[in-house]
Amino acid sequence: MTIMVTGGAGFIGSNFVIDWLSKNDEQVINIDKLTYAGNLQNLKTIEGNLKHVFVKEDILNRKKITALINDYNPRYIINFAAESHVDRSIHAPDQFIQTNIVGTHSLLEATRSFWNDMPNHEKNNFRFLHVSTDEVYGSLGSNDPAFIETNQYKPNSPYSASKAASDHLVRAYYKTYNIPVLTTNCSNNYGPFQFPEKLIPLVLHNAMSGKDIPIYGDGLQIRDWLFVIDHCNAINAVLKTGKIGEMYNIGGLNEKTNIEIVNLLCETLDDLLPKSDATSYKSQIIYVKDRAGHDKRYAINASKIENDINWYPTETFETGIKKTVEWYLHNQDWVKNVTSGDYLNWVERNYS
Ligand code: NAD
Ligand code: DAU
């Protein structure tokens, strides 16, 4: 048996593929365009594993993707491939429309032609799982209840709008063509292999390099943080027992303001890697111009996945953050490798 993953050289996708191969004897076809966010180094620990087939390809290449799906006959297609960074979507939205909307549509079309020719006895086991985000629901006020699956979609950034559009397409392919889809809407992930344009790895990288640690606006925005392996476990659980056509919110029950996160990261580093002058990394924190259209708060009500699928996060924030900081400390070569070239241009463009 075989599963197909798109975007499996990115942060969550690579964690998913490595985790899958550590628990299953089933082949993974990993399709990734290798944008700036995709990195074969993330997959180094499974190099030489014959159960892992990596194909450098764009999900927009429908002909090639259709051929790959037909050749490998996967029972699951899990779509992680996306442009995923809100700030980049504000600077340059075009690629978000292409990959997240047109690319998801193209993948759905390739899946539809595969599904149409699939023998009936295989149809029961097939699933198309679309990995989406809580950002599609928009922003919450401090006293609003957490997002549930029936909340209205109110995306506020080009990134979240493109993900919202892709979710609608996925739903439409279930309603119109009976493709057995599942959609997961997850909160902010953290953990190994996260590209240092996102808050947690950026703070770690800047702190250790003696650079400013930039906080957008007042730093009081709230996110709900989930360790990446808990997200992978949730995806596996939804694939196994999720109800076709349904959406599942995934979150860590772990709402924190950005400034709390940054302070905690600095304190963890103070412990694990004290500065030679004995000052705290907190002295590097600076407040910078706010993100345009910055969402104030995300919070996930995960009752549906907990009650219907019996999934719960296993990592506490404290243990997850410790593992994450230790991973970045021990993988400085990886950090060096991804923070050269285009990364430097990005930092110049976003923070100057
Ligand atoms: P990422 O940016 O780290 O990785 C995205 C991967 O997709 C990269 O390997 C990239 O090369 C690949 N890719 C991009 N365009 C492609 C294309 N056209 N064809 C093939 N591959 C392409 O993103 P991530 O943080 O790992 O997120 C993965 C998915 O999870 C995304 O769909 C994102 O919207 C969603 N998500 C992310 C988070 C989070 O906190 N990171 C939370 C909820 C949902
Ligand atoms: O909620 C899920 C989403 O989480 C995913 O769908 C996205 O793919 C993922 O990138 C993430 O989006 P955010 O915008 O919440 O993540 P980011 O790490 O970019 O920022 C987290 C918060 O930290 C946000 O409020 C902005 C703030 N921030 C971020 C950076 C990079 C700063 O204050 N300073 C920074 O330099």
Side-chain angles (χ1 to χ4, degrees), residues 111-176:
T111 304
R112 182 160 80 93
S113 76
F114 172 64
W115 169 256
N116 285 341
D117 294 339
M118 193 183 287
N120 274 336
H121 69 274
E122 285 181 18
K123 285 193 167 172
N124 282 341
N125 294 326
F126 181 75
R127 298 286 182 273
F128 180 102
L129 188 145
H130 180 59
V131 180
S132 191
T133 170
D134 59 357
E135 299 199 12
V136 296
Y137 299 119
S139 183
L140 293 170
S142 354
N143 296 319
D144 290 339
F147 300 131
I148 55 172
E149 287 79 357
T150 49
N151 270 41
Q152 194 187 340
Y153 271 32
K154 285 185 185 171
N156 293 320
S157 72
Y159 163 68
S160 52
S162 67
K163 291 296 288 187
S166 68
D167 293 7
H168 291 322
L169 284 165
V170 170
R171 177 188 157 87
Y173 272 64
Y174 164 61
K175 289 283 179 186
T176 308

Side-chain angles (χ1 to χ4, degrees), residues 10-12 32-33 35 38 58-59 80 84 99 132 159 163 189:
F11 163 47
I12 304 174
D32 197 297
K33 181 182 172 184
T35 66
D58 191 329
I59 56 166
F80 293 96
S84 70
T99 289
S132 191
Y159 163 68
K163 291 296 288 187
N189 285 215

Side-chain angles (χ1 to χ4, degrees), residues 215-228:
I215 309 273
Y216 296 163
D218 58 11
L220 296 179
Q221 300 78 14
I222 293 171
R223 300 289 182 265
D224 175 358
W225 294 91
L226 181 71
F227 190 64
V228 62

Side-chain angles (χ1 to χ4, degrees), residues 44-314:
K44 222 173 164 47
T45 56
I46 50 169
E47 221 170 54
N49 185 332
L50 298 178
K51 297 279 179 192
H52 178 233
V53 179
F54 182 81
V55 184
K56 181 177 182 312
E57 193 50 80
D58 191 329
I59 56 166
L60 280 150
N61 186 345
R62 193 180 307 174
K63 201 166 157 211
K64 189 68 195 292
I65 300 291
T66 306
L68 285 167
I69 297 178
N70 284 310
D71 284 353
Y72 285 105
N73 193 29
R75 70 180 176 116
Y76 296 157
I77 297 176
I78 306 155
N79 184 28
F80 293 96
E83 289 292 335
S84 70
H85 188 31
V86 174
D87 293 317
R88 285 190 191 245
S89 85
I90 295 165
H91 287 274
D94 287 22
Q95 196 53 47
F96 287 73
I97 306 305
Q98 283 308 309
T99 289
N100 299 0
I101 306 180
V102 186
T104 301
H105 174 246
S106 193
L107 189 61
L108 284 165
E109 273 296 287
T111 304
R112 182 160 80 93
S113 76
F114 172 64
W115 169 256
N116 285 341
D117 294 339
M118 193 183 287
N120 274 336
H121 69 274
E122 285 181 18
K123 285 193 167 172
N124 282 341
N125 294 326
F126 181 75
R127 298 286 182 273
F128 180 102
L129 188 145
H130 180 59
V131 180
S132 191
T133 170
D134 59 357
E135 299 199 12
V136 296
Y137 299 119
S139 183
L140 293 170
S142 354
N143 296 319
D144 290 339
F147 300 131
I148 55 172
E149 287 79 357
T150 49
N151 270 41
Q152 194 187 340
Y153 271 32
K154 285 185 185 171
N156 293 320
S157 72
Y159 163 68
S160 52
S162 67
K163 291 296 288 187
S166 68
D167 293 7
H168 291 322
L169 284 165
V170 170
R171 177 188 157 87
Y173 272 64
Y174 164 61
K175 289 283 179 186
T176 308
Y177 305 114
N178 296 320
I179 313 283
V181 306
L182 297 155
T183 300
T184 53
N185 295 80
C186 190
S187 60
N188 286 60
N189 285 215
Y190 67 94
F193 302 120
Q194 187 165 30
F195 195 80
E197 63 190 354
K198 308 281 170 70
L199 182 69
I200 288 181
L202 181 120
V203 168
L204 294 175
H205 175 58
N206 282 19
M208 287 188 266
S209 323
K211 294 184 186 147
D212 290 342
I213 299 173
I215 309 273
Y216 296 163
D218 58 11
L220 296 179
Q221 300 78 14
I222 293 171
R223 300 289 182 265
D224 175 358
W225 294 91
L226 181 71
F227 190 64
V228 62
I229 296 299
D230 275 326
H231 185 187
C232 297
N233 290 338
I235 290 172
N236 277 307
V238 171
L239 282 164
K240 275 202 195 106
T241 47
K243 198 164 158 235
I244 291 170
E246 295 281 316
M247 293 165 59
Y248 292 92
N249 282 355
I250 305 170
L253 277 180
N254 199 17
E255 285 186 57
K256 300 251 184 277
T257 62
N258 293 338
I259 189 66
E260 279 179 278
I261 296 286
V262 173
N263 280 331
L264 177 67
L265 290 170
C266 289
E267 285 158 17
T268 310
L269 277 180
D270 287 341
D271 255 10
L272 297 176
L273 187 71
K275 290 217 267 187
S276 53
D277 63 2
T279 59
S280 170
Y281 288 93
K282 287 181 192 170
S283 62
Q284 289 166 235
I285 294 174
I286 58 157
Y287 287 84
V288 299
K289 186 166 171 262
D290 207 354
R291 172 186 279 175
H294 200 169
D295 286 339
K296 180 75 183 164
R297 172 176 168 237
Y298 305 140
I300 286 276
N301 179 332
S303 304
K304 182 173 173 180
I305 190 169
E306 290 172 357
N307 297 336
D308 296 2
I309 298 196
N310 201 24
W311 171 87
Y312 295 87
T314 56

